[in-house]
Amino acid sequence: MNSGVRSKEEVLAAIERRRRRPHVKLMDEHVTLAHGAGGRSSRAMTEALFLPALLNAVLEELSDAGVLAPGSSDTTFAFSTDSFVVKPLFFPGGDIGELAVNGTVNDLAMAGATPIALSAGFILEEGFPTADLERIAQSLGRAAEKAGVVVAAGDTKVVERGKGDGVYINTAGIGLVDTRSTLGPDRVQPGDKVLVSGTIGDHGMAIMVARGQLALECESDSDTAPLNGLVNHLLAACGDSVRWLRDPTRGGVATVLCELALAGDVGVTVYEAALPIRPLVNGACEILGIDPMYVANEGKLVAVVAADAADQALNTLRTGDGGSQAAIIGEVRAEPPGMVILETSFGGTRVVDMLAGDPLPRIC
């Protein structure tokens, strides 16, 4: 079965296509919080600054993990990196240590890879309590054990007091790509179904509650969790009927579906009534004037599967760890290409655009 790694000729052709494209100019003169939100501004910065400077076909895919087969090896690897600057460091349902592991593990899982090992780099601010650092390190270790990965390398740097914000963590990870399915936006076809593995917006709202910006009577917990087990469960049941996977972190479900529509040159229709949203999260979003579809998740996946396998995929997710509230939320259509349309609960439709600003900065 095709491992998803392209031949040398395909790589060279992709690089040449990139060179022939008109150069995208970044209109912003300074970096803003929006550039870190994972939406339109992040994409503009990547396409205008980083892709031209680091031109290669693996990076050009703009996936959460790069897929490659080194040398003449028959083994296909996925490689990913992520940095975590969440504020506060400790929040209902998790902390920055657990988040750092799950974030990179999930990026690898969305490439259809079984995570093997991580690195962990800590940037510490002078004066940070060592008791809190020990708590974070222990949490990171427990999360790695739960996800079935080892932290094989690490690094520590300390910056002067007032020059950081307590702790930042960078993790990188490597995993073996599963051959049971080839994943990518180019495999998505009209008629395919869109599924989500559970309630959306939980992590973003947990961070807002932890910051004291919402006076709620009950606590909202983050959904941070490793997804590699759930992905393995899904691929074991549905195999090559699984077309595409993403974890809707920054920018939420809305933004990742917009990225899919653009990359696959397809239309995506979402059914508002089918979106699984906890009443607490929905209420908090109404207070803030935020659409839950744009709120970050740290333990959910979005999957596109062939239509004839949708029911099986749904049942598989619901019986997997963390997928009990999975739902079919939409479908892929030929029209309008490159756009996401929401069919509202009132019978109307509206365009769902990519996240433009940053309503919830520093959520991961």
Side-chain angles (χ1 to χ4, degrees), residues 23 58 65 87 103-104 126 131 154 160 174 185 197 206 221 273 286 302 338 348 351:
H23 179 67
V58 176
K87 185 177 182 180
T104 295
E126 178 189 16
E160 300 90 341
I174 189 167
S197 64
D221 286 346
E286 288 183 356
V302 178
V351 174

Side-chain angles (χ1 to χ4, degrees), residues 72-89:
S72 58
S73 172
D74 293 331
T75 303
T76 305
F77 293 95
F79 181 72
S80 185
T81 187
D82 206 343
S83 299
F84 299 86
V85 298
V86 64
K87 185 177 182 180
L89 300 175

Side-chain angles (χ1 to χ4, degrees), residues 37 208 211 290 294 355 357-361:
M208 293 298 290
R211 289 176 183 171
I290 299 173
Y294 292 98
L355 181 69
D358 193 2
L360 301 173

Side-chain angles (χ1 to χ4, degrees), residues 2-363:
N2 184 359
S3 67
V5 176
R6 294 182 288 183
S7 67
K8 179 179 179 181
E9 291 73 20
E10 290 173 317
V11 169
L12 294 175
I15 293 175
E16 185 59 30
R17 286 196 301 273
R18 167 64 62 179
R19 288 198 176 106
R20 289 200 300 265
R21 291 178 192 170
H23 179 67
V24 178
K25 180 176 175 57
L26 187 66
M27 303 306 295
D28 304 287
E29 295 185 0
H30 303 282
V31 174
T32 69
L33 285 173
H35 289 118
R40 184 182 300 147
S41 295
S42 298
R43 189 178 183 92
M45 173 177 280
T46 299
E47 292 188 339
L49 299 183
F50 295 118
L51 280 183
L54 307 173
L55 185 63
N56 67 81
V58 176
L59 186 63
E60 187 184 337
E61 297 294 332
L62 294 181
S63 298
D64 287 338
V67 177
L68 60 161
S72 58
S73 172
D74 293 331
T75 303
T76 305
F77 293 95
F79 181 72
S80 185
T81 187
D82 206 343
S83 299
F84 299 86
V85 298
V86 64
K87 185 177 182 180
L89 300 175
F90 305 96
F91 47 83
D95 58 54
I96 191 172
E98 180 181 0
L99 192 65
V101 170
N102 292 340
T104 295
V105 163
N106 293 347
D107 285 345
L108 293 170
M110 296 308 104
T114 300
I116 301 172
L118 305 178
S119 68
F122 288 79
I123 300 176
L124 310 173
E125 183 181 3
E126 178 189 16
F128 186 74
T130 55
D132 285 347
L133 182 59
E134 182 180 15
R135 180 180 170 189
I136 291 169
Q138 290 178 346
S139 177
L140 189 148
R142 288 192 299 269
E145 183 177 5
K146 182 178 179 180
V149 297
V150 296
V151 179
D155 183 54
T156 303
K157 295 291 190 297
V158 179
V159 298
E160 300 90 341
R161 189 186 303 265
K163 302 297 184 181
D165 201 358
V167 178
Y168 301 143
I169 302 177
N170 172 270
T171 49
I174 189 167
L176 287 173
V177 174
D178 197 310
T179 60
R180 288 175 291 188
S181 180
T182 302
L183 303 173
D186 56 320
R187 294 203 60 230
V188 172
Q189 303 172 21
D192 290 348
K193 302 299 181 182
V194 181
L195 294 83
V196 65
S197 64
T199 54
I200 65 174
D202 295 343
H203 176 72
M205 284 302 104
I207 297 301
M208 293 298 290
V209 171
R211 289 176 183 171
Q213 295 175 270
L214 288 174
L216 298 176
E217 294 181 359
C218 52
E219 195 173 79
S220 177
D221 286 346
S222 169
D223 62 347
T224 178
L227 292 169
N228 50 317
L230 191 60
V231 170
N232 180 60
H233 190 49
L234 180 62
L235 293 180
C238 299
D240 209 37
S241 293
V242 183
R243 316 277 205 199
W244 177 87
L245 295 171
R246 280 292 295 275
D247 57 331
T249 54
R250 297 176 303 163
V253 171
T255 297
V256 299
L257 290 180
C258 287
E259 291 173 345
L260 169 64
L262 288 170
D265 196 29
V266 293
V268 177
T269 296
V270 178
Y271 318 129
E272 185 177 41
L275 292 170
I277 306 170
R278 295 170 60 209
L280 175 64
V281 170
N282 196 53
C285 286
E286 288 183 356
I287 292 171
L288 294 169
I290 299 173
D291 187 334
M293 287 186 67
Y294 292 98
V295 180
N297 314 266
E298 290 292 343
K300 303 297 190 307
L301 63 83
V302 178
V304 174
V305 301
D308 59 4
D311 290 339
Q312 183 182 13
L314 179 63
N315 292 332
T316 299
L317 289 175
R318 286 180 173 174
T319 58
D321 186 16
S324 62
Q325 298 184 74
I328 297 175
I329 63 168
E331 66 179 284
V332 177
R333 297 178 178 175
E335 300 290 339
M339 295 181 66
V340 178
I341 303 296
L342 181 74
E343 292 188 353
T344 70
S345 302
F346 300 102
T349 61
R350 67 176 176 87
V351 174
V352 176
D353 205 352
M354 194 175 293
L355 181 69
D358 193 2
L360 301 173
R362 305 266 313 263
I363 48 91

